[in-house]
């Protein structure tokens, strides 16, 4: 299984628009699990992250199909100008 985790930092006045721009990712069928959520900011040592995309995929091929989906391209195009920072990691579990 591949876990795909993406962290976004977004100015407060753009947060709602960025979240709405990422939400369609949850409709892409190639993920076993895909969630777009706001950071709860419960960690006292780090509060930089505003939004998180968390996904689980059967394998690297499923992750590649997810990234090739038109909804992914649309979300990227929508959110890129709204965000300040994007950090992604893919890990094998």
């Amino acid at each position: 299984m591949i876990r795909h985790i993406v962290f976004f930092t977004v100015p407060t006045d753009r947060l709602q628009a960025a979240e709405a721009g990422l939400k369609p990712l949850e409709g892409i069928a190639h993920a076993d699990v895909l969630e777009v959520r706001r950071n709860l900011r419960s960690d006292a040592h780090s509060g930089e992250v505003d939004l998180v995309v968390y996904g689980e995929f059967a394998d690297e091929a499923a992750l590649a199909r997810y990234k090739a989906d038109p909804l992914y391209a649309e979300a990227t195009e929508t959110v890129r100008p709204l965000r300040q920072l994007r950090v992604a990691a893919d890990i094998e579990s």
Side-chain angles (χ1 to χ4, degrees), residues 4 6-8 17 27 31 34-36 48 51 53 55 59 63 66 73 75 78-79 82 87-89:
H4 175 68
V6 187
F7 299 100
F8 293 89
L34 201 298
E35 299 176 336
V36 174
E48 299 85 4
L51 293 170
V53 174
D59 51 32
L63 177 58
Y66 161 80
T78 300
V79 174
L82 301 174
V87 177

Side-chain angles (χ1 to χ4, degrees), residues 5 9 14 16 18 20 29 41 54 56 66 81 84 86 89 93:
I5 308 160
T9 300
R14 298 178 184 175
Q16 187 173 357
R41 300 186 185 279
Y54 173 81
E56 294 179 0
Y66 161 80
Q84 292 175 319
R86 177 190 181 271
S93 177

Side-chain angles (χ1 to χ4, degrees), residues 27-79:
I28 298 177
H30 305 293
D32 296 329
V33 173
L34 201 298
E35 299 176 336
V36 174
R37 298 290 184 268
R38 288 188 184 203
N39 182 9
L40 297 176
R41 300 186 185 279
S42 57
D43 186 281
H45 303 288
S46 178
E48 299 85 4
V49 173
D50 297 301
L51 293 170
V52 178
V53 174
Y54 173 81
E56 294 179 0
F57 299 85
D59 51 32
E60 289 184 45
L63 177 58
R65 287 190 301 274
Y66 161 80
K67 290 182 177 183
D69 190 286
L71 287 175
Y72 182 89
E74 185 178 316
T76 299
E77 185 177 318
T78 300
V79 174

Side-chain angles (χ1 to χ4, degrees), residues 19-32:
E19 183 177 22
L22 292 169
K23 277 292 188 180
L25 296 175
E26 295 180 341
I28 298 177
H30 305 293
D32 296 329

